[in-house]
Amino acid sequence: MKKRIVWMVVSCLMVLSLLLAACAPAVPTTPTVPTTPTVPTTPTAPTTPTAPTAPATPEVEKPKYGGVFTFSVTAEPRNYDDVYTGRPSSFAMQQTNQMLMIGNWAMGPAGTGEATFWTYIGPKAFQVGEIAENWELVGNDTVIFRIRKGIYWAVHPANSMSKMTGGRELTAEDVVFSLKRVFDMLPDFREPKSYAAYSRLTKEEHPVSIEAPDKRTVVVKGKPGYFGSTFYYVANMQSITAPEVLKAGKNFEDPKNYVSSGPFILTDFVPGASLTFVKNPNYW
């Protein structure tokens, strides 16, 4: 009985102490000391923009002499004789045979850059003589070409046709024969109409006459008002070829019949596969 009374007294005291603790005022918390405001950072001065560096000058590749140069084309030309296809299409004859005039590469992208040569026939100011050493325009219907000395038809053991010329010097008569052939002006050598001349020029733009008063001079006459086209075509669009080949009943539709006066000599031809040229040691 005493234990029970003691337990009840203790329990009452515990309850009473809890009530007193709950009713007691809360101890105020110590106020937090305010932090010192941060000093705003001084804005940094803008940096001076870096001047763009000049593009590096491209290195100019030095010429390499000798060796083998290989290039490809997407298809064979319609014909290997540029009388029937036009000079730009007959890439093979461009390697072996020359024209009267050619673009001056010293004024092109590899030189001064004055001409781009994106067009096949450049202005007269960008032209230099190839077979023609110089030329003279007379009036509005005539041009006189002076044929360069020292150009020889090449002879090579791998090119049987080249033996026909015996390595003789190229003359004005060769030029006249080649140009008359283009314009169907050779009664003894009637051939199919020249695609080059008859598709690019009207009949009025064809030459009236092509003559060689001597072995170094070619005179081409045309029609006033149409002579600009005549002049550019005979000077810039037609290869000069060896008459001996045609007179022997052969043709240039087979490139093995080429006789070179230019920088390269054709030595092998595999239709649909390849053409092989070697350096012409006697190229002027």
Side-chain angles (χ1 to χ4, degrees):
M1 184 69 178
K2 288 182 180 180
K3 291 181 179 180
R4 189 172 184 181
I5 293 171
V6 172
W7 180 84
M8 289 182 64
V9 171
V10 172
S11 297
C12 289
L13 290 173
M14 290 177 67
V15 171
L16 181 61
S17 63
L18 289 174
L19 289 174
L20 291 174
C23 295
V27 178
T29 59
T30 305
T32 306
V33 178
T35 58
T36 304
T38 57
V39 179
T41 56
T42 304
T44 57
T47 57
T48 305
T50 306
T53 56
T57 304
E59 292 185 11
V60 178
E61 186 177 356
K62 294 182 179 180
K64 297 178 182 178
Y65 296 92
V68 177
F69 176 66
T70 303
F71 69 95
S72 62
V73 292
T74 55
E76 287 193 271
R78 294 185 302 275
N79 196 301
Y80 279 93
D81 186 342
D82 66 10
V83 166
Y84 302 123
T85 63
R87 172 81 175 189
S89 300
S90 184
F91 58 85
M93 190 170 276
Q94 292 179 41
Q95 316 307 317
T96 60
N97 293 75
Q98 303 169 90
M99 302 179 294
L100 286 168
M101 293 165 56
I102 194 172
N104 184 354
W105 293 108
M107 302 176 72
T112 62
E114 296 171 75
T116 63
F117 292 117
W118 277 105
T119 57
Y120 194 74
I121 300 178
K124 186 163 66 72
F126 297 149
Q127 300 287 305
V128 293
E130 191 169 31
I131 285 177
E133 188 167 31
N134 56 64
W135 60 92
E136 176 187 0
L137 292 169
V138 180
N140 60 359
D141 64 355
T142 304
V143 60
I144 301 174
F145 294 103
R146 305 278 194 270
I147 304 306
R148 189 183 302 276
K149 293 181 181 180
I151 301 177
Y152 294 89
W153 295 107
V155 177
H156 193 278
N159 186 316
S160 60
M161 288 292 124
S162 68
K163 300 173 184 176
M164 288 188 171
T165 64
R168 66 174 177 80
E169 191 173 17
L170 186 151
T171 69
E173 288 293 346
D174 298 329
V175 176
V176 170
F177 187 94
S178 298
L179 295 181
K180 281 188 172 183
R181 176 174 172 250
V182 174
F183 297 102
D184 198 24
M185 298 167 71
L186 294 171
D188 297 332
F189 294 91
R190 292 294 178 184
E191 298 180 89
K193 294 290 186 183
S194 162
Y195 168 83
Y198 285 85
S199 66
R200 294 174 181 269
L201 301 180
T202 65
K203 189 65 177 176
E204 288 77 13
E205 293 171 311
H206 286 202
V208 173
S209 65
I210 306 172
E211 305 297 338
D214 59 62
K215 67 180 297 185
R216 296 275 167 237
T217 308
V218 174
V219 180
V220 179
K221 291 184 177 291
K223 295 179 181 179
Y226 299 95
F227 189 67
S229 298
T230 308
F231 167 62
Y232 273 120
Y233 194 92
V234 300
N236 295 270
M237 292 293 287
Q238 188 55 51
S239 299
I240 305 306
T241 53
E244 285 90 337
V245 176
L246 295 176
K247 291 178 179 179
K250 304 293 183 179
N251 59 60
F252 299 114
E253 296 173 72
D254 182 348
K256 288 185 289 187
N257 294 332
Y258 290 173
V259 180
S260 174
S261 65
F264 297 100
I265 301 169
L266 180 75
T267 57
D268 188 47
F269 169 55
V270 181
S274 66
L275 297 110
T276 303
F277 303 86
V278 297
K279 177 182 177 180
N280 179 0
N282 293 322
Y283 177 52
W284 63 271

